[in-house]
Amino acid sequence: MTTPEIRTDLTDGVLTITLARPDKKNALTNQMYGTLADTIERAEHDRNIRVLLVQGDGDMFTAGNDVSEFAAIAAGKGPAERHVHRFLHALAKATVPIVAAVHGKAVGVGTTMLLHCDYVLLAQDAQLITPFVNLALVPEAASSYLMPLCIGHARAFEMFAMGEPLDAQTAVAWGIANRVCNNDQLRAEARRMAERIAAKPPGSLSAMKALMRKAEALVAQMDSESAKFQERLTSAEAREAFAAFAEKRKPDFSKVTQQ
Ligand code: COA
């Protein structure tokens, strides 16, 4: 599966994956998830790929899942096959090291995917935002497990429940990311780090990564989240949140009588 909205380039063992839908803030569509899943799965078997480097075009990393696709699913008009699950499973199982270069906003899965990356570099303007509850949804990508593990329950609850942006310095202080750098140096710095990792013995790296992450447990957590997520997608609350986004207004949950 391919789409021009996901660009890839393999140079010196580093496969750069660029989210390239800048007019829609790199919001991720089903087609984009499919391409991302294929790319990660390919990297697991291609010995020429030593490291994945994920970045975004335009003024932000990604606005997360395409909300109009959420609305379509809520209206029973979703795609026959949803590739997001394959993408999340591929992330959970990946043993190839993943570097992320994040500038601007990283919304929803844009933030939760970072919990599966191995080296996260943030530009000074980076903001991590997890507005799942604001959309009447639940966290995904095993973040309901990984985020509290990484930053503690109190901070994770606040991030998920309030959906307020977390700035780059705080994200590093809390252990979600490795380092902050100037915006104009982000891509070069990320590339440098990816090349340094690519020079290490790949068998050792992937064995180390597999030991550090319990892929089966992560997949199980993702599947529990997906069941709840699917239920929430078709809730009256979520329909109000999606309608509000389409109409560019604030959602009004006070009139929603059904949960
Ligand atoms: N899904 C679909 N379209 C999206 C999108 C998303 N997640 N995020 C942005 N877009 C679209 C907007 O609808 C707009 O399209 P239009 O030009 O056809 O009207 C375009 O991208 C530009 O977005 P805009 O809102 O004008 O940019 P901004 O810089 O003012 O705000 C965000 C950026 C990311 C803060 C804002 O767009 C937003 O909150 N998006 C939704 C994020 C979200 O809830 N994601 C799901 C997480 S689970």
Side-chain angles (χ1 to χ4, degrees):
M1 188 172 279
T2 59
T3 163
E5 291 166 343
I6 300 290
R7 285 200 315 271
T8 57
D9 167 73
L10 178 60
T11 307
D12 297 334
V14 178
L15 184 75
T16 303
I17 303 172
T18 306
L19 312 177
R21 194 188 176 209
D23 57 323
K24 295 288 184 188
K25 308 292 176 185
N26 299 328
L28 295 164
T29 61
N30 195 42
Q31 183 84 8
M32 290 165 80
Y33 282 127
T35 307
L36 289 169
D38 288 349
T39 306
I40 300 170
E41 285 164 6
R42 174 187 147 209
E44 282 297 300
H45 301 107
D46 185 340
R47 288 175 159 262
N48 295 313
I49 301 173
R50 299 295 180 92
V51 177
L52 297 180
L53 166 56
V54 190
Q55 59 188 21
D57 263 359
D59 67 359
M60 66 180 69
F61 184 61
T62 171
N65 200 105
D66 189 299
V67 177
S68 62
E69 292 201 354
F70 277 160
I73 295 164
K77 295 176 187 154
E81 190 186 354
R82 290 186 61 207
H83 299 296
V84 62
H85 305 299
R86 207 158 55 77
F87 164 65
L88 295 177
H89 286 188
L91 266 185
K93 292 177 190 163
T95 60
V96 62
I98 308 176
V99 174
V102 178
H103 73 292
K105 294 179 173 63
V107 187
V109 71
T111 287
T112 57
M113 76 166 80
L114 303 180
L115 301 169
H116 298 271
C117 294
D118 305 292
Y119 192 94
V120 178
L121 200 60
L122 300 180
Q124 258 161 349
D125 74 343
Q127 292 187 327
L128 309 188
I129 311 170
T130 45
F132 301 106
V133 168
N134 292 344
L135 288 168
L137 300 171
V138 291
E140 33 62 316
S143 63
S144 57
Y145 168 71
L146 290 173
M147 192 67 91
L149 189 69
C150 180
I151 67 177
H153 175 87
R155 289 162 167 171
F157 181 90
E158 188 175 351
M159 262 189 96
F160 287 144
M162 308 316 290
E164 300 290 341
L166 191 72
D167 65 68
Q169 305 286 354
T170 310
V172 170
W174 288 4
I176 301 175
N178 295 76
R179 199 153 61 81
V180 183
C181 69
N182 288 336
N183 273 58
D184 59 0
Q185 287 163 11
L186 178 73
R187 286 201 174 182
E189 284 292 313
R191 173 88 211 169
R192 230 188 319 276
M193 194 61 203
E195 282 175 1
R196 284 181 62 196
I197 296 170
K200 304 282 179 191
S204 167
L205 271 180
S206 62
M208 177 191 78
K209 178 167 170 174
L211 287 167
M212 288 170 71
R213 296 165 52 79
K214 302 282 169 263
E216 275 177 28
L218 294 175
V219 166
Q221 185 75 11
M222 286 172 175
D223 291 348
S224 309
E225 290 170 342
S226 293
K228 194 54 81 181
F229 200 97
Q230 186 60 30
E231 206 179 290
R232 301 299 315 150
L233 268 178
T234 52
S235 66
E237 294 174 345
R239 281 199 301 275
E240 164 57 11
F242 305 151
F245 180 74
E247 292 158 20
K248 299 191 188 289
R249 61 171 172 83
K250 275 194 170 24
D252 179 1
F253 298 115
S254 67
K255 295 198 182 72
V256 181
T257 48
Q258 264 183 312
Q259 287 195 334

